[in-house]
């Protein structure tokens, strides 16, 4: 390959990168933040809520604690209220444009989630992955909803995929895609606490009667 | 380093690479098929698009260790009626300008027509918006995909 051709290709590659970065604010801002800033928050253990005597009040407090996870960008990004997921800690629209499609995996014939997202996170390309990678169904849209609304939605079998409370607790505590929220790969802040703690909070909330925050 | 056998365009290739090497670099540097391009390395431009068992993937975002026994198809090995229709339409519409993004564009366009033989403008946009073109050949790409779809109607 001649030097001129090599040089031209390098220039072109550089331009494509420049375009990609210019069209992808996440790369310039949130993702350019130092790794040290990606520190996950913590969760209070269930025992901390034992002093709340009123059952409903205790359930609400437990759910509000678990809500720190539900409302983290790791969960919210794939629970959009529209057709397009968001991304990064700043929850900007997913770049490139992808839509949920019939199965939450992208438009038919269009850009499928699996075009870029594979079985595991690939930090070299900053692309997250999981075998179950997909959008939550529209009935489970959380973006723009209050924690109280998310709570009512989560426990309604008509909106939660027909789950009983026991199945819901199991899902939160064990599901692999939920668990991705705590190991999201380079450049993404993990959900607060751990999946185990989160599962315990949800279970304690269910055991206390599963009351929801107001509003 | 580790040894991997990659099935690319119907032929097996032995490569000795770090397991985390993006498939793109194994295709280009180890196997020597340079039709697949590097644009961004972060799944944002589509220049590196290949097929894995017939489905489009960005080869920059897939480590060699995840390929397993899957069959890789690159632009050099693209065949089938959709590919022929896309190639003819690309020539008829004189789509490429510098050409750098075009192997990715062609891979995505042929895949789209395989799944959706009569795409609307919106279908095309949803399928192709992940393939960035610095020369902005988008209008010709869309027209050529419509032409290719017409040819496929027979
Ligand atoms: S090089 Fe893979 S998407 Fe840009
Ligand atoms: S033809 Fe030049 S980048 Fe697309």
């Amino acid at each position: 390959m001649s030097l001129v051709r090599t040089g031209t290709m390098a220039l072109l590659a550089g331009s494509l990168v420049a375009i990609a970065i210019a069209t992808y604010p996440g790369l310039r801002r949130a993702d350019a933040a130092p790794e040290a800033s990606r520190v996950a928050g913590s969760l209070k253990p269930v025992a901390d809520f034992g002093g709340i005597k009123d059952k409903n009040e205790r359930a609400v407090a437990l759910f509000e604690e678990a809500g720190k996870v539900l409302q983290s960008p790791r969960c919210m990004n794939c629970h959009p209220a529209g057709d397009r997921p968001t991304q990064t800690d700043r929850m900007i629209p997913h770049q490139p444009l992808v839509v949920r499609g019939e199965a939450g995996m992208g438009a038919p014939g269009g850009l499928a989630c699996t075009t870029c997202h594979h079985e595991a996170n690939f930090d070299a390309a900053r692309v997250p992955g999981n075998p179950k990678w997909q959008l939550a169904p529209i009935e489970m849209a959380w973006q723009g909803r209050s924690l109280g609304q998310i709570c009512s939605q989560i426990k309604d079998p008509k909106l939660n995929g027909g789950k009983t409370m026991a199945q819901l607790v199991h899902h939160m505590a064990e599901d692999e895609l939920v668990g991705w929220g705590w190991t999201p790969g380079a450049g993404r802040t993990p959900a607060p606490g751990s999946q185990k703690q989160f599962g315990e909070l949800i279970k304690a909330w269910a055991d206390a009667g599963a009351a929801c925050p107001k509003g | 380093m580790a040894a991997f056998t990659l099935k690319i365009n119907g032929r097996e290739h032995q490569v000795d690479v770090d397991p985390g090497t993006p498939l793109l670099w194994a295709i280009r540097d180890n196997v020597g098929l340079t039709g697949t391009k590097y644009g961004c390395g972060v799944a944002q431009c589509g220049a590196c698009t290949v097929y894995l068992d017939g489905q489009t993937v960005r080869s920059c975002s897939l480590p060699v260790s995840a390929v397993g026994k899957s069959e890789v198809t690159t632009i050099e090995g693209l065949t089938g009626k959709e590919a022929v229709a896309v190639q003819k339409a690309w020539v008829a519409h004189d789509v490429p300008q510098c050409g750098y993004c075009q192997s990715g564009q062609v891979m995505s366009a042929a895949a789209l027509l395989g799944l959706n033989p009569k795409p609307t403008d919106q279908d095309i946009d949803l399928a192709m918006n992940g393939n960035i073109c610095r020369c902005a050949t988008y209008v010709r790409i869309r027209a050529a995909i419509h032409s290719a779809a017409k040819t496929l109607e027979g």
Side-chain angles (χ1 to χ4, degrees):
Chain A
M1 188 182 283
S2 77
L3 264 185
V4 175
R5 235 182 107 202
T6 317
T8 312
M9 281 184 59
L11 266 178
L12 292 171
S15 305
L16 275 178
V17 173
I19 292 169
I21 290 175
T23 53
Y24 181 27
L27 282 180
R28 281 178 293 151
R29 292 188 286 253
D31 290 355
E35 291 305 309
S37 68
R38 310 275 175 203
V39 178
S42 56
L43 290 175
K44 285 190 209 156
V46 170
D48 282 17
F49 299 85
I52 308 175
K53 291 287 160 268
D54 182 85
K55 221 174 151 193
N56 285 347
E57 265 178 42
R58 191 164 70 250
V60 168
L62 285 159
F63 193 84
E64 282 172 348
E65 191 62 16
K68 290 181 186 166
V69 170
L70 302 172
Q71 292 187 306
S72 86
R74 294 295 76 74
C75 298
M76 293 295 262
N77 276 334
C78 288
H79 282 261
D83 259 357
R84 186 179 188 173
T86 51
Q87 66 184 34
T88 81
D89 286 356
R90 292 186 305 112
M91 297 180 59
I92 58 170
H94 188 283
Q95 182 63 33
L97 166 67
V98 286
V99 294
R100 71 174 66 246
E102 274 164 32
M105 302 280 292
L111 210 41
C113 300
T114 49
T115 300
C116 303
H117 300 281
H118 309 298
E119 301 275 304
N121 296 332
F122 187 46
D123 288 349
R126 292 285 180 115
V127 178
N130 182 275
K132 289 181 162 181
W133 198 267
Q134 67 182 111
L135 275 192
I138 189 70
E139 307 83 62
M140 297 183 203
W142 293 352
Q143 291 189 17
R145 310 265 151 97
S146 69
L147 192 59
Q149 288 169 324
I150 293 174
C151 177
S152 316
Q153 221 173 338
I154 278 179
K155 62 180 193 176
D156 182 347
K158 286 199 292 296
L159 300 175
N160 74 9
K163 288 186 187 62
T164 62
M165 206 47 103
Q167 287 168 327
L168 186 67
V169 170
H170 185 263
H171 173 77
M172 299 295 196
E174 306 286 339
D175 183 83
E176 168 185 14
L177 185 55
V178 172
W180 172 88
W182 288 273
T183 52
R188 285 169 287 274
T189 309
S194 66
Q195 186 172 18
K196 183 168 177 287
Q197 281 182 304
F198 174 63
E200 286 164 0
L201 286 166
I202 293 285
K203 180 166 188 315
W205 163 71
D207 290 347
C212 286
K214 293 234 173 344
Chain B
M1 300 293 235
F4 294 92
T5 303
L6 295 175
K7 195 160 181 208
I8 305 178
N9 302 334
R11 273 191 53 200
E12 290 195 343
H13 299 266
Q14 317 293 328
V15 297
D16 190 14
V17 294
D18 185 282
T21 304
L23 173 62
L24 170 64
W25 297 114
I27 291 171
R28 287 182 57 87
D29 292 355
N30 298 81
V31 180
L33 294 170
T34 52
T36 306
K37 302 298 188 219
Y38 165 74
C40 66
V42 291
Q44 288 294 301
C45 76
C48 67
T49 304
V50 300
Y51 299 162
L52 200 67
D53 292 332
Q55 295 209 321
T56 54
V57 293
R58 303 294 190 243
S59 60
C60 70
S61 74
L62 185 74
V64 166
S65 58
V67 175
K69 293 196 182 327
S70 294
E71 298 215 12
V72 179
T73 308
T74 69
I75 188 75
E76 291 89 346
L78 184 63
T79 52
K81 61 183 193 322
E82 289 85 13
V84 172
V86 166
Q87 188 182 25
K88 285 193 178 144
W90 245 241
V91 172
H93 286 264
D94 217 353
V95 173
Q97 187 159 320
C98 79
Y100 197 82
C101 71
Q102 294 292 327
S103 62
Q105 305 282 3
V106 166
M107 295 302 281
S108 293
L112 165 64
L113 290 169
L115 292 162
N116 182 353
K118 267 183 137 180
T120 61
D121 279 354
Q122 206 211 352
D123 295 337
I124 293 173
D125 291 351
L126 284 176
M128 302 298 295
N129 86 86
N131 288 85
I132 294 178
C133 174
R134 74 182 282 282
C135 304
T137 59
Y138 304 111
V139 176
R140 293 201 295 275
I141 287 172
R142 190 197 262 180
I145 291 175
H146 281 306
S147 290
K150 274 227 167 66
T151 331
L152 288 169
E153 268 174 19

